[in-house]
Amino acid sequence: MYGRGRGWSPRTPSPFNRVAANRDGDILRGAALQEGTKTPSSLNDDNNITKPQPQSHDPFDICPRPLPTKQTAPTVVLKPSLLVTNRERRKQAAEGGGTGTHSHPLVVTLRPGMILLKKYISVSEQVTIVEKCRELGRGSGGFYQPGYGDEEGEGAKLRLKMMCLGKHWDPLSTHYTDHRPSDGAKPPEIPPEFHRFVREAMAHADTLHPITPDICIVNFYSQNGRLGLHQDKDESEESLRQGLPVVSFSIGDSADFLYGDSRDVDKAKKLLLESGDVLIFGGKSRNVFHGVSAIHPMTAPNPLLHQTYLRPGRLNLTFRQY
């Protein structure tokens, strides 16, 4: 999803091409929309992308705080009242969403091995995830923007920020490494609370093998983000042979998620993923083709925005076991 879930701009928040010859080449082709000189179709030519551009490691804050100006007083944002919070919880419960107990989630089997937990992650848990991603994303090994250039130094600019936890996934080689090649940074560890969220979600997918994730790819997609249809196939042979699932968390703006048995967009099914949704695919669906065709602006839960200042766009976390 590349949430890769490799999530890219959702991957939206993804990328490549020498990489066009690779199985995940669609990530770059899907992500490089309306920016730079390449179009998704032009990226099919292996000659278009031959060397990476300098990567952007400028600090990126997914939740920038408003700054006071000389003309205006400091902005004061009040957290939602108890009435508003309870109303949001009742709405989630009525829609089958998680209220924090996770006792009776709405579980939808989309196809064998592909399970959706609808609005499973409560707003308070979404706040926890966003704040932790912000903390890690501003530090060493945090969010960066991959880019790919051609011989003239021009190329696709990806509409996403990416951060890897546990191991780094290199978009150019499509391999996992212990350090980020572009700056040598070591990926942060997966926070314990993220492990707990994954473990609790997997308890509702009892037809799939549980995982102990050692990789998490975090992508923040702008509202213009897209991600071409691709497969997640860069984990170990043993992990793929067992069909160990990918667990994807969606937070922020909603997205149109595509999935199917081929790269043919016309044959793909479409699913709306909303903030708090958890998508799990493994077993017979481990190699499903998937991507993101659109981000829906201004669809993130208001309590989440009030408490975190999350930027417009979609935050996607995809967990896997190498």
Side-chain angles (χ1 to χ4, degrees):
M1 317 218 29
Y2 215 90
R4 235 150 134 310
R6 266 179 174 94
W8 298 67
S9 162
R11 104 188 160 267
T12 250
S14 5
F16 353 98
N17 214 0
R18 193 167 320 222
V19 186
N22 289 341
R23 51 189 169 239
D24 279 334
D26 287 329
I27 293 178
L28 174 60
R29 293 194 289 272
L33 289 188
Q34 303 176 3
E35 199 168 335
T37 61
K38 298 292 183 287
T39 64
S41 60
S42 70
L43 290 175
N44 288 327
D45 184 353
D46 286 339
N47 295 323
N48 280 334
I49 297 183
T50 57
K51 63 181 180 180
Q53 287 181 324
Q55 311 295 292
S56 172
H57 296 98
D58 296 335
F60 178 74
D61 190 349
I62 61 172
C63 305
R65 271 45 175 175
L67 296 175
T69 65
K70 293 181 180 180
Q71 291 78 21
T72 61
T75 301
V76 177
V77 177
L78 300 178
K79 290 190 175 183
S81 66
L82 182 60
L83 176 63
V84 172
T85 301
N86 287 337
R87 183 185 301 137
E88 182 71 19
R89 288 175 177 171
R90 289 195 298 271
K91 179 181 177 182
Q92 286 185 327
E95 296 175 348
T99 60
T101 63
H102 298 165
S103 56
H104 300 289
L106 177 60
V107 181
V108 181
T109 300
L110 302 171
R111 52 185 281 165
M114 193 170 190
I115 297 170
L116 172 66
L117 305 182
K118 193 62 184 173
K119 294 191 176 180
Y120 176 79
I121 308 172
S122 68
V123 170
S124 63
E125 290 171 334
Q126 293 177 50
V127 169
T128 297
I129 292 170
V130 168
E131 291 181 342
K132 196 63 182 181
C133 286
R134 179 186 188 238
E135 175 189 338
L136 297 175
R138 299 169 72 200
S140 177
F143 285 110
Y144 80 112
Q145 184 172 13
Y148 300 84
D150 56 20
E151 294 292 352
E152 287 74 38
E154 298 178 342
K157 307 290 187 181
L158 305 183
R159 289 188 183 273
L160 86 151
K161 299 291 183 177
M162 173 181 170
M163 171 175 63
C164 297
L165 307 179
K167 288 181 177 291
H168 177 73
W169 179 72
D170 180 22
L172 189 60
S173 69
T174 69
H175 293 153
Y176 288 104
T177 59
D178 291 331
H179 295 83
R180 191 159 62 193
S182 54
D183 64 351
K186 182 177 176 59
E189 294 299 318
I190 300 175
E193 53 266 47
F194 289 10
H195 279 284
R196 177 172 61 83
F197 293 150
V198 171
R199 185 169 60 250
E200 292 175 350
M202 284 300 305
H204 300 286
D206 53 9
T207 60
L208 297 175
H209 197 294
I211 64 169
T212 302
D214 50 12
I215 299 163
C216 177
I217 297 178
V218 185
N219 290 291
F220 184 82
Y221 307 102
S222 72
Q223 292 184 328
N224 293 326
R226 304 287 188 278
L227 180 62
L229 288 167
H230 61 274
Q231 296 170 296
D232 293 354
K233 296 181 63 177
D234 297 329
E235 289 68 50
S236 68
E237 291 183 6
E238 179 65 13
S239 179
L240 295 174
R241 184 187 65 79
Q242 294 186 52
L244 298 185
V246 173
V247 181
S248 173
F249 293 177
S250 294
I251 297 176
D253 286 330
S254 302
D256 287 337
F257 178 80
L258 304 180
Y259 65 96
D261 294 319
S262 71
R263 286 190 172 91
D264 189 339
V265 174
D266 294 332
K267 295 181 179 179
K269 294 184 178 180
K270 183 166 70 174
L271 171 71
L272 182 68
L273 289 180
E274 299 176 284
S275 193
D277 287 353
V278 175
L279 182 65
I280 305 172
F281 56 95
K284 294 181 178 180
S285 290
R286 181 57 177 81
N287 294 330
V288 68
F289 286 89
H290 57 282
V292 173
S293 60
I295 303 295
H296 296 275
M298 302 178 66
T299 52
N302 285 329
L304 174 67
L305 302 181
H306 287 320
Q307 295 182 64
T308 64
Y309 297 94
L310 182 65
R311 289 176 183 266
R314 177 176 182 252
L315 183 67
N316 180 228
L317 294 80
T318 56
F319 299 87
R320 59 205 76 209
Q321 183 173 322
Y322 183 78

